Amino acid sequence: DSQAPLAPAAQVVIASAPGSLVVGDTVRLTALVLGAGGDTLEDRIVVWASSDPGVASVSASGLVSAVSGGDVQISAASEAVAGTVPITAVDPLVATQIFAGGVSTNSCAILPGGSVRCWGQNFSGALGLGVSGGVFTVPTPQQAGPIQQVAVGESHGCSLSQGGAVACWGSNPFGGVGDSTTNIRVLPVNVAGGGGYTEIGAGVWLSCGIRNGDWVCWGNFSPGSLYPIVVGSGPYHGLRVGEGHGCALRTDGSAWCFGVGFAGQLGDDGSSYQSTPVAVAGNHHFATLAAGGRHTCGIDSLGGSWCWGANLGGQLGDGTTATQSHPVAVTGAPAFASIAAGGQHSCGLTPAGVAWCWGDNSSGQLGDGTTTNRPQPVTIGGTLRFSQLAAGAVHTCGVAQDGRVYCWGGNYLGSLGDGTTTDRQTPTLVHAS
């Protein structure tokens, strides 16, 4: 009745380790107990342990639960040997609003409570963090707030406080910061002339705002100004600013644009510069607008989506790559509740929170898992449902309905906030820090 002794364990290998795990999520690990010859030993007792249960705990069956942000080692021991794997628990960024300018590789978010975090490239203080230079690959605290809106330009930005004051920061060679100087500002400084603002926007060297109903701008436009001057008497609302143009709405829903129009982005059937706002052709009545690098989009009062301007990447969504100097219908998609315009791509959001994107996709900014350009909208995000989208130069971000922030597309300057500079072709969680 004698039995041969059990072969001793020589190695424990942990399988299914994800590398990183979002706080609140779980993953089940599997431990393989191997003999000296590499064969799997069955029915061996395995004891699991975590180096820091405050970061991630592990159950007796190998179920790992991420508790708080940080790094942890998960081990599995059998007899006198053990295997270990590292796991990084990631706190997801939770925000109420997301911003990414159509000419910018940067992103900013407003958190619950109104504080601001920004990430991306910080050349000439573009993020307003108090220093100049570097790339910040995770969201970094900028202002305590409460802030109501952020405008992200190419190398500068502005914020609107709940009291109607505007502060700007970053590169300032033509006065885009609006403090009556051309000095680089690494921290937000108040725009000259006082408050009264309800909306703001930023482009390359241009900043604009709606102030007491009037449309005012400062920086590099004609005539340029180191402080805000009126470019159009109000009442205006719904302001959006692209690379070198801006558009806003009148109370009747008519759209008006001014600035650089060489690619048809003003929508007035022309291709020239306009120093004062001109009416967009077609007698449309828009509910909302979006300004990309050199194109503009809007949703009309009936729920139809229209775009105009440059179309090299198919960003107008009409199935072509032909430039249009007047609004053309976005085709092949349902009605959108909101719309966002980036460098050479655009995205729309349905009332149910389904995201669609179209246009240039060379960096994965459409989020459909490819780098194939799409001249008509395609759905993205799988089961994800968003409450807001924002489009940058070659990336896109969105706030999911649970408040978590996702970004996708070009990431060589840290635009996606996931702690890397790796491009992502599908929505990727932004880290809290």
Side-chain angles (χ1 to χ4, degrees):
D1 294 331
S2 62
Q3 280 186 326
L6 293 175
Q11 184 182 9
V12 176
V13 176
I14 299 177
S16 307
S20 64
L21 189 62
V22 176
V23 171
D25 289 352
T26 61
V27 64
R28 186 172 299 280
L29 303 183
T30 301
L32 300 177
V33 181
L34 306 180
D39 52 318
T40 300
L41 306 180
E42 304 291 345
D43 300 324
R44 299 302 172 98
I45 295 174
V46 174
V47 178
W48 292 91
S50 167
S51 64
D52 188 346
V55 173
S57 63
V58 60
S59 72
S61 62
L63 182 67
V64 178
S65 302
V67 178
S68 64
D71 296 317
V72 67
Q73 298 286 329
I74 302 296
S75 62
S78 183
E79 301 173 17
V81 295
T84 303
V85 292
I87 290 181
T88 298
V90 176
D91 270 317
L93 182 69
V94 175
T96 59
Q97 296 185 72
I98 187 73
F99 305 91
V103 293
S104 178
T105 56
N106 294 341
S107 310
C108 291
I110 297 178
L111 278 56
S115 64
V116 177
R117 293 193 182 189
C118 297
W119 59 97
Q121 62 84 9
N122 192 42
F123 311 143
S124 300
L127 297 179
L129 304 177
V131 296
S132 181
V135 171
F136 290 76
T137 61
V138 294
T140 304
Q142 190 218 54
Q143 296 184 69
I147 298 300
Q148 181 174 313
Q149 183 186 354
V150 177
V152 181
E154 183 182 52
S155 296
H156 79 291
C158 299
S159 64
L160 172 65
S161 71
Q162 291 183 351
V166 174
C168 297
W169 58 87
S171 185
N172 193 28
F174 301 103
V177 169
D179 66 343
S180 298
T181 78
T182 56
N183 299 327
I184 291 174
R185 300 298 188 182
V186 297
L187 287 170
V189 295
N190 289 333
V191 171
Y197 290 88
T198 54
E199 301 174 29
I200 52 174
V204 175
W205 308 118
L206 171 69
S207 304
C208 294
I210 303 299
R211 185 184 186 196
N212 299 320
D214 290 336
W215 185 347
V216 300
C217 294
W218 56 98
N220 187 23
F221 66 102
S222 180
S225 177
L226 302 181
Y227 55 86
I229 63 173
V230 175
V231 298
S233 297
Y236 284 101
H237 69 281
L239 171 70
R240 298 294 184 268
V241 177
E243 178 181 305
H245 77 291
C247 297
L249 298 174
R250 289 283 199 173
T251 54
D252 65 355
S254 61
W256 296 70
C257 299
F258 102 105
V260 177
F262 306 131
Q265 58 265 57
L266 303 187
D268 62 342
D269 274 326
S271 57
S272 62
Y273 185 94
Q274 299 290 343
S275 59
T276 58
V278 293
V280 172
N283 295 317
H284 297 278
H285 298 280
F286 291 101
T288 187
L289 297 174
R294 298 180 182 180
H295 74 290
T296 313
C297 295
I299 300 174
D300 67 23
S301 57
L302 299 177
S305 298
W306 304 78
C307 294
W308 56 95
N311 196 26
L312 182 62
Q315 59 262 47
L316 302 189
D318 65 343
T320 78
T321 55
T323 294
Q324 301 289 347
S325 59
H326 58 268
V328 293
V330 177
T331 60
F336 294 128
S338 62
I339 198 162
Q344 294 188 60
H345 72 290
S346 309
C347 295
L349 194 61
T350 71
V354 179
W356 296 66
C357 292
W358 59 95
D360 178 59
N361 197 27
S362 56
S363 297
Q365 57 264 53
L366 301 190
D368 68 344
T370 77
T371 55
T372 302
N373 290 2
R374 308 289 186 181
Q376 288 183 294
V378 292
T379 55
I380 66 164
T383 59
L384 276 175
R385 296 296 178 264
F386 295 93
S387 61
Q388 185 206 346
L389 298 175
V394 291
H395 76 288
T396 312
C397 295
V399 179
Q401 291 180 347
D402 64 0
R404 293 184 178 187
V405 179
Y406 294 79
C407 292
W408 54 95
N411 196 27
Y412 67 103
L413 290 173
S415 309
L416 306 189
D418 67 346
T420 78
T421 54
T422 303
D423 290 357
R424 308 291 185 182
Q425 297 172 11
T426 56
T428 302
L429 265 175
V430 175
H431 296 188
S433 60

